[in-house]
Amino acid sequence: MTNQRYLLLLICVASVVRCELFTSLAHMERALFAEREISSRIKEYVREEKQRLDALSRLADELETHSSKALENVDFYLGNPVNAYLFVKRFTVDWERHIEDILKWKPNEEFHEKVNKLKEYLPTYEDLNGAVAALLRLQDTYKLETEKIAAGDIAGIKTSELSAVDCFEVGRVAYNDEDYYHTTAWMIEAMSRLENEKNKTVNKSEIIDFLAFSVYQQGNVRHALDLTNELLTLVPGHDRALNNKEYYLKMISEKEEKMGETATMGEAATMGEPAADEPLKNEKGRDEYKSTDEFIMYERLCRGEHTHDYKDQHKLVCRYKTNNDPLLLINPAKEEEIYLDPYLVAYHNVISDYELAVIKSIATPKLGRATVHNAKTGKLEFAHYRVSKSAWLRPDDDIVVERVNRRISAVTKLEMDTAEDLQIANYGIGGHYEPHFDFARKPNSVVAQINGNRIATFLTYMSDVEAGGATVFPYIGVKIFPKRGMAAFWYNLYKNGDGIYDTRHAACPVLVGTKWVSNKWIHERGQEFKRPCGLLADGLKKD
């Protein structure tokens, strides 16, 4: 039967009023064609479903492989900033562009409900912005080259390699934050990696679009024009590029007129490279504080650089210390003097692995974003200069917490009843705390209202950190790198109650690894007979 007859019969199926088929063989024949068409439709549906199921199966295998590998050593995997960034990107940008469409193929509502419920545990775009900000913070603090990060080299530690689109997304987030310095660096790297990709992960035109405006914001108008012309060769009708080109030409023309040059608009339009008097610029914009000597010193110390010669270093000693306390007679504290004025010491193996494990397990469900006191409002708030999560543990939370408090008291010879609860902090991707004082500088501060000011700090390192994460004191050049089970102790106040400003310190960004610490802030009240007051601001203290 010809195709024409086949189509005619199908039309009849749609046009003839339904009646009893057995009364007409012609209508019975029409039913056979309908049966064959149903068969074709079913086969087509099965093919589509197979494709969908294959895509779902590949997605499930990919997610299972990734999570299984990461869960073998979570601290090692998520402690790497590049892995952490890629993990967050997977469930934000990649999920929206690729995974979500695959999951929509499943018609079962129960399936969607379960997936959506699990999505509550997955990263969000806020996490993506935070992950990128952390990566850029690490890049600046530790002077990491964009090319090496993308190649999977973090200060000599091997990590996952970034694709062109991975680099592009870092640049895009920086662009949205009006950080044109990092946008330029990462878009250039995205372009470089795109050239070597067989399966292109991002369009070249998208990279150039961001890069052109970023170099313009960096002051490179001629280079921005060059890139805009390149973009227009790829996408001739690009509205934004056409408008930008006109604007750049006008800027160049006005500049040349001011300089008394006679270059024509046509010549300006064909300029491909910056003129000798207008070199390419790619300068990092820093706010006022980050340009100060203190912040520069802080970053140098974070990198492990030698910045100061320790005063009276030849007098520093190590000792076993019992303080005539029964708790330390059999197992004395291993004390190492780090600095004498202000008095700063370290205690080694001051907490056991078992105690660390118990405290972490109790604190983990209670962890919440760390806050700081607003000096103007007196209220607690989040701050970009402190990125970590913390929890507070009371002595009655577990006997281990009580035991740790008792040991801190024995080691420091200070009263714990008026001290703050044990604060547990866990630093995330690039987690840090910029230079600050532990003591309150204002008498009416919330910190000093109840039990007086913070007379001393006992900081315990609850994990080793593979790279970065040091505690540094910019004014005296001291840097202490985390060591599991070690604690640092210092007085924040002189005997007359004045603050010791040389104790200003900071937690450097965690480059690779996971950082856990506990803080015990000890207050003035209750120490009257433990550390008697004095009239002089005597910082040399060995009691």
Side-chain angles (χ1 to χ4, degrees), residues 337-519:
E337 289 182 343
I338 296 175
Y339 211 83
L340 296 180
D341 187 8
Y343 191 59
L344 174 60
V345 297
Y347 293 103
H348 297 272
N349 306 119
V350 75
I351 187 170
S352 70
D353 288 345
Y354 170 74
E355 289 168 333
L356 291 175
V358 170
I359 289 174
K360 285 181 185 178
S361 66
I362 299 172
T364 298
K366 300 182 178 184
L367 288 174
R369 176 74 183 271
T371 57
V372 296
H373 283 282
N374 185 308
K376 294 181 179 180
T377 65
K379 295 181 178 180
L380 292 172
E381 61 186 20
F382 299 141
H384 66 87
Y385 55 83
R386 186 182 190 186
V387 179
S388 65
K389 285 191 173 183
S390 59
W392 298 85
L393 301 186
R394 297 172 52 82
D396 56 7
D397 283 333
D398 193 277
I399 192 172
V400 168
V401 179
E402 183 180 0
R403 187 192 308 165
V404 168
N405 285 343
R406 175 70 183 89
R407 189 176 302 121
I408 294 173
S409 179
V411 170
T412 63
K413 296 194 297 185
L414 295 174
E415 179 61 55
M416 294 296 112
D417 287 346
T418 55
E420 296 177 43
D421 291 335
L422 193 67
Q423 186 200 52
I424 312 302
N426 178 224
Y427 291 82
I429 311 169
H432 71 136
Y433 192 178
E434 290 179 6
H436 61 282
F437 299 105
D438 278 353
F439 63 88
R441 286 174 289 170
K442 295 181 179 180
N444 60 347
S445 170
V446 175
V447 171
Q449 278 181 0
I450 301 175
N451 289 312
N453 213 339
R454 288 173 174 168
I455 194 174
T457 296
F458 196 92
L459 171 64
T460 304
Y461 299 101
M462 302 175 64
S463 65
D464 293 315
V465 178
E466 194 166 353
T471 304
V472 299
F473 296 74
Y475 291 0
I476 56 178
V478 170
K479 47 188 179 290
I480 305 172
F481 289 92
K483 184 178 179 182
R484 183 184 176 95
M486 183 181 77
F489 172 73
W490 65 88
Y491 288 106
N492 296 306
L493 305 177
Y494 291 112
K495 280 192 170 185
N496 67 355
D498 291 343
I500 305 176
Y501 282 79
D502 279 349
T503 62
R504 188 167 174 84
H505 60 286
C508 295
V510 178
L511 182 55
V512 178
T514 300
K515 181 181 178 182
W516 285 83
V517 299
S518 66
N519 289 296

